[in-house]
Amino acid sequence: MKKKKVSIIGAGHVGASTAQLLAHSGISDIVLFDIVDGMPKGKALDLSEACPLWNSASSVTGTSDYAETAGSDVIVVTAGIARKPGMSRDDLLKTNAEVVSAVGRGIAAGSPDAVIIAVTNPMDVMAHLLFKTTGFPHHRVMGMGGVLDAARFSTFVAWELNVSPGVVNSVILGGHGDQMVPMPRFTTVNGVPVTELISSDRIDALVERTRGGGAEIVSLLKTGSAYYAPAAATFQMIKAVLFDEKRPLPAACYLTGQYGIDGLYVGVPAILGASGVEKIITLTLNEKEREAFAKSAGAVAGLVKILNI
Ligand code: APR
């Protein structure tokens, strides 16, 4: 069987960490693309030299030439700038929109059948921009944000209950921004809803910490934003696509009427497989959840409007 090919556009913290997970697992060949002269080649060489130690047969290529990304099965877009303390994800809008538009134009022709995963923030809007600039069907363009936010919520729930984090299954809706909507009613510990296990005051505190989870790390790092968990979240989505897993994950998907929203990328639970977003799961929301989701989606729509896309 021919090895799969994953290209990562933007070989910075998130991009390189994702490449590391791929190379370590050996599940695909990897192309690391960046505009910084020499840097993607240097990181690719470094990763290549780790492969014998990992018993991995992945080939890792570094480049600043889009031609080398041709024939990719999955393309991850992390190119752009990351947050500094005091910045919201939305402050990155204009700069990253220019970068991501150029990326969309650069990758489309060579990999017409690829599934694209947007990571660059503000991520929901960047997914929309990649959908527009590549001209790909919307089910083959999605955004990574929900998997990360859900992992953060799962972490805090696990700490609260002193249970293994892997048994917490979090559901999260909305944009990957400060108004994201963690969903305690649907978040379970081995099938038991957290609403049965944690007081509502404490749940509210965990939800707030999740909403500010990215900013909490930015304020500690001071020079950039999180990358280990973002890379792990991206890796999980890549695997769902490469192995056609049909895995339900929260992803930024293009809605066409679901949840009363039409023509917008926003985070919802979806089944991910070889063709990207294979099915959007529509949960029945209560009034409070509906309001919170509408507010979060409204914030994304506001940014899309600024870009006029
Ligand atoms: N084409 C390709 N790569 C680019 C371009 C471009 N036009 N412009 C910038 N880059 C590269 C930078 O050279 C840098 O190596 O994107 C990379 C971004 O890496 P970092 O600055 O380390 O940022 P990172 O922490 O990886 O975050 C990337 O993901 O999580 C989001 O908010 C985060 O938007 C940010 C993105």
Side-chain angles (χ1 to χ4, degrees), residues 121-186:
N121 276 312
M123 176 279 298
D124 306 85
V125 190
M126 296 302 137
H128 203 119
L129 205 49
L130 285 164
F131 162 56
K132 291 284 177 180
T133 51
T134 57
F136 284 10
H138 55 74
H139 66 89
R140 279 203 282 113
V141 182
M142 60 177 119
M144 190 295 290
V147 176
L148 169 63
D149 298 329
R152 286 182 173 147
F153 192 46
S154 295
T155 306
F156 303 142
V157 167
W159 287 347
E160 184 77 11
L161 294 171
N162 196 21
V163 297
S164 170
V167 300
V168 185
N169 245 301
S170 293
V171 171
I172 205 143
L173 291 179
H176 180 52
D178 305 341
Q179 308 198 51
M180 66 179 76
V181 192
M183 301 281 285
R185 253 184 350 117
F186 296 97

Side-chain angles (χ1 to χ4, degrees), residues 10 12-14 33-36 39 78-82 92 96 99 119-121 225:
H13 287 93
V14 180
F33 177 105
D34 206 287
I35 46 165
V36 177
M39 181 269 265
T78 74
I81 54 166
L92 308 173
N96 284 351
V99 170
V119 177
T120 305
N121 276 312
S225 50

Side-chain angles (χ1 to χ4, degrees), residues 7-23:
S7 291
I8 299 174
I9 315 300
H13 287 93
V14 180
S17 302
T18 306
Q20 182 178 2
L21 292 170
L22 285 166

